[in-house]
């Protein structure tokens, strides 16, 4: 039998297949943009931009925790009422509270130029109009030298008004013990009740007031100037003066008070 051999023209076939492949690739490439734009599963450039978290500018804080020398220290935001550990850089706004326990020591700088340190189971609430509600513990507050910030410290025993002054306050935890007001430097004006006459403390003078005391004349007679030995001893033992790495801005004024003590 005669064998018939079929010979295919391979060159034309291969050329045809190549052309078909190229045409298919071009059609697929040209259709990609349309499919990407119309397909609900394919993210477009606009969709991706919408999903990027936008940075919200921080609003200016009313106060900043500038130093935490020892723990524990807690900040309680007014918005959540949930305490959180305070760290340097924590921002505070009016209505927020700050609290220390035991050996906790913290410094807070206010945007108005005032600052304070608290310790010894202390609690303080920031208030607008340059007011600080100090409830318990030990507190040292001052205003940056050269600035005059009329400030009021509200305590269970009265309201202490100060400007360019360094004031120390100690409030016992019982709530009914005597509150100590000590002017390390400058003038303090104390009101034991709204509308009452002011009791003035000058540099190096101290007064202890029990909550509910209203006899201004009697209280004025109890204002005393600390002697050099007592005021130096207080200076040496003060945690709020000595336990912070950053020196007090009004240290020079306090040293002048020490030198002038009788």
């Amino acid at each position: 039998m005669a064998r018939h051999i079929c010979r295919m023209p391979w060159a034309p076939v291969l050329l045809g297949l190549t052309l078909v492949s190229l045409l298919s690739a071009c059609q697929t490439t040209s259709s990609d943009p349309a499919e990407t734009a119309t397909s609900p599963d394919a993210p477009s450039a606009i969709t991706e931009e919408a999903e990027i978290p936008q940075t919200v500018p921080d609003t200016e804080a009313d106060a900043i925790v500038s130093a935490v020398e020892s723990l524990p220290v807690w900040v309680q935001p007014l918005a959540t009422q949930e305490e959180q550990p305070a760290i340097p850089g924590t921002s505070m706004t009016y209505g927020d509270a700050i609290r220390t326990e035991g050996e906790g020591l913290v410094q807070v700088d206010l945007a108005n130029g005032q600052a304070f340190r608290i310790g010894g189971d202390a609690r303080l609430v920031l208030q607008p109009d340059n007011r600080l509600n100090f409830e318990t513990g030990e507190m040292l507050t001052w205003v940056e030298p050269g600035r005059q910030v009329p400030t009021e410290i509200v305590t269970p025993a009265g309201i202490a008004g100060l400007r360019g002054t360094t004031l120390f306050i100690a409030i016992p935890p019982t709530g009914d013990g005597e509150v100590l007001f000590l002017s390390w430097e400058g003038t303090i004006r104390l009101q034991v009740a709204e509308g009452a006459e002011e009791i003035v403390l000058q540099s190096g003078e101290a007064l202890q007031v029990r909550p509910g005391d209203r006899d201004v004349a009697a209280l004025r007679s109890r204002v005393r100037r600390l002697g050099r030995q007592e005021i130096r001893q207080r200076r040496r033992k003060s945690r709020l003066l000595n336990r912070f790495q950053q020196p007090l801005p009004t240290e020079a004024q306090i040293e002048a008070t020490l030198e002038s003590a009788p």
Side-chain angles (χ1 to χ4, degrees), residues 211-223:
D213 282 351
R214 296 292 183 265
D215 191 335
V216 174
L219 290 170
R220 282 174 175 166
S221 68
R222 287 159 45 187
V223 174

Side-chain angles (χ1 to χ4, degrees), residues 74-85 97:
W74 306 92
V75 169
Q76 184 181 45
L78 175 64
T80 64
Q81 292 296 305
E82 295 182 1
E83 286 191 330
Q84 60 191 38

